[in-house]
């Protein structure tokens, strides 16, 4: 994490004429817990919390990202995996839903351990998918829905930038770039026309796709190309999103002025 950049971003978004009601973190709140020891992870969360207390007055809702999960430590440690991140984010479970400003928000947990126990693959586990089906069924059909996931459910950008050509047989999308269970999620979404918007991060690229009546937006990253400048044509930034009662919305991706 770059604390000065994070401070500048917070000041910039809070200085907007139409000030946000709350911050929605798309995941990867800290730079990397996945491959670091506990001392380094604690240091990163300490920086995050200190900057947030000193430089922010807005409430925040969290979505867990792959770099928030502690994957370097012993699996027997009670804070291994998502537990440490959930403690820092004050979450009892890694996915949830809530209503705000006439919209129903669904926050998913994209990050799952692989079958061999290592981290990570982007998908919903069975318990979460079952919960999602029930949550959607229980939401009034007149209430617009916004879904937040760390990894994109539908994406074109990662197909272009992150595919790997293998053995002359074609392009293969990496397991960590997008949801591997997109077909069944989209099939579920098709049943609910009140799902209007899906937001994600993870790939550090800005894109907007409309598919089957749902708009899928990846909104870049505060860190840009992991503090190394612009990632392709996506600069360091954040999104300012306006939600309206009729289910429409505006999404503006904003460069907050950080020059790496």
């Amino acid at each position: 994490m770059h604390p000065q950049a994070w401070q500048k971003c917070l000041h910039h978004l809070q200085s907007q004429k139409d000030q946000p009601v709350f911050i929605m973190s798309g995941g990867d709140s800290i730079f990397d817990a996945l491959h670091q020891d506990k001392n380094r992870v604690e240091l990163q969360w300490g920086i995050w919390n200190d900057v947030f207390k000193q430089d922010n007055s807005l409430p925040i809702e969290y979505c867990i990202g792959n770099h928030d999960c502690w994957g370097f430590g012993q699996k027997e440690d009670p804070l291994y995996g998502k537990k440490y991140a959930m403690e820092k984010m004050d979450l009892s479970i890694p996915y949830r839903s809530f209503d705000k400003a006439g919209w129903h928000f669904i926050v998913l947990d994209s990050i799952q351990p692989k079958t061999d126990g290592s981290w990570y693959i982007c998908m919903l586990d069975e318990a979460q998918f079952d919960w999602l089906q029930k949550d959607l069924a229980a939401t009034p059909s007149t209430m617009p829905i916004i879904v937040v996931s760390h990894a994109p459910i539908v994406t074109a950008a990662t197909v272009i930038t992150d595919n790997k050509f293998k053995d002359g047989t074609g392009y293969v999308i990496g397991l960590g770039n997008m949801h591997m269970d997109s077909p069944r999620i989209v099939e579920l979404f098709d049943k609910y026309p009140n799902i209007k918007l899906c937001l994600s991060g993870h790939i550090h690229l800005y894109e907007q796709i409309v598919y089957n009546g749902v708009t899928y937006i990846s909104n870049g990253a505060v860190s840009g190309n992991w503090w190394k400048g612009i990632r392709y044509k996506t600069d360091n930034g954040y999104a300012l999103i306006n939600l309206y009662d009729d289910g429409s919305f505006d999404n503006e991706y904003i460069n907050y002025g950080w020059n790496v």
Side-chain angles (χ1 to χ4, degrees):
M1 176 180 292
H2 200 306
Q4 289 78 23
W6 180 218
Q7 288 172 322
K8 186 166 186 176
C9 180
L10 287 171
H11 294 168
H12 194 277
L13 69 87
Q14 290 173 99
S15 68
Q16 293 289 334
K17 183 177 180 180
D18 185 12
Q19 189 173 108
V21 176
F22 72 100
I23 295 171
M24 182 73 238
S25 168
D28 289 351
S29 294
I30 61 174
F31 186 66
D32 183 43
L34 199 61
H35 302 107
Q36 305 296 326
D37 62 32
K38 185 180 286 188
N39 289 338
R40 182 67 179 174
V41 175
E42 288 177 332
L43 175 64
Q44 292 179 76
W45 278 115
I47 293 172
W48 169 275
N49 290 329
D50 288 345
V51 171
F52 220 77
K53 289 178 182 178
Q54 297 170 12
D55 296 275
N56 175 67
S57 61
L58 298 174
I60 183 170
E61 296 285 349
Y62 286 99
C63 178
I64 290 179
N66 52 299
H67 288 287
D68 299 320
C69 303
W70 185 37
F72 184 80
Q74 297 295 320
K75 294 182 180 180
E76 295 76 19
D77 193 301
L79 297 181
Y80 180 81
K82 300 169 191 172
K83 295 178 183 178
Y84 197 49
M86 289 169 60
E87 179 181 292
K88 295 300 181 181
M89 297 175 182
D90 195 25
L91 299 177
S92 57
I93 55 175
Y95 53 88
R96 66 202 184 284
S97 65
F98 57 91
D99 297 336
K100 189 179 288 288
W103 283 64
H104 185 63
F105 287 74
I106 297 175
V107 183
L108 298 177
D109 172 19
S110 301
I111 310 304
Q112 311 303 331
K114 298 178 183 178
T115 55
D116 64 1
S118 63
W119 294 90
Y120 59 94
I121 186 173
C122 296
M123 63 180 296
L124 306 182
D125 57 59
E126 291 301 323
Q128 183 178 182
F129 188 77
D130 181 65
W131 168 86
L132 177 60
Q133 293 180 89
K134 293 175 180 176
D135 189 84
L136 287 170
T139 304
S141 61
T142 55
M143 177 174 282
I145 297 173
I146 179 171
V147 178
V148 181
S149 62
H150 178 60
I153 296 170
V154 173
T155 176
T158 192
V159 173
I160 303 300
T161 61
D162 293 323
N163 272 353
K164 302 293 185 291
F165 195 73
K166 185 177 182 180
D167 299 330
T169 59
Y171 286 100
V172 179
I173 299 175
L175 296 179
N177 294 332
M178 63 178 288
H179 266 263
M180 301 307 295
D181 54 349
S182 295
R184 77 166 181 171
I185 296 176
V186 171
E187 183 179 5
L188 176 61
F189 286 179
D190 286 345
K191 300 176 183 178
Y192 298 94
N194 52 328
I195 299 176
K196 302 298 183 181
L197 177 61
C198 292
L199 299 173
S200 63
H202 191 50
I203 60 175
H204 296 224
L205 297 169
Y206 174 72
E207 67 171 352
Q208 182 167 322
I209 300 170
V210 180
Y211 182 65
N212 288 2
V214 179
T215 302
Y216 296 85
I217 301 178
S218 294
N219 267 312
V222 173
S223 64
N225 190 19
W226 292 269
W227 308 119
K228 298 175 183 177
I230 297 174
R231 174 161 160 77
Y232 296 93
K233 291 189 176 182
T234 301
D235 211 333
N236 303 60
Y238 64 91
L240 188 63
I241 302 169
N242 293 313
L243 303 176
Y244 302 104
D245 294 340
D246 63 357
S248 61
F249 56 86
D250 299 321
N251 184 98
E252 180 183 7
Y253 187 68
I254 299 171
N255 176 357
Y256 60 92
W258 181 256
N259 295 315
V260 179

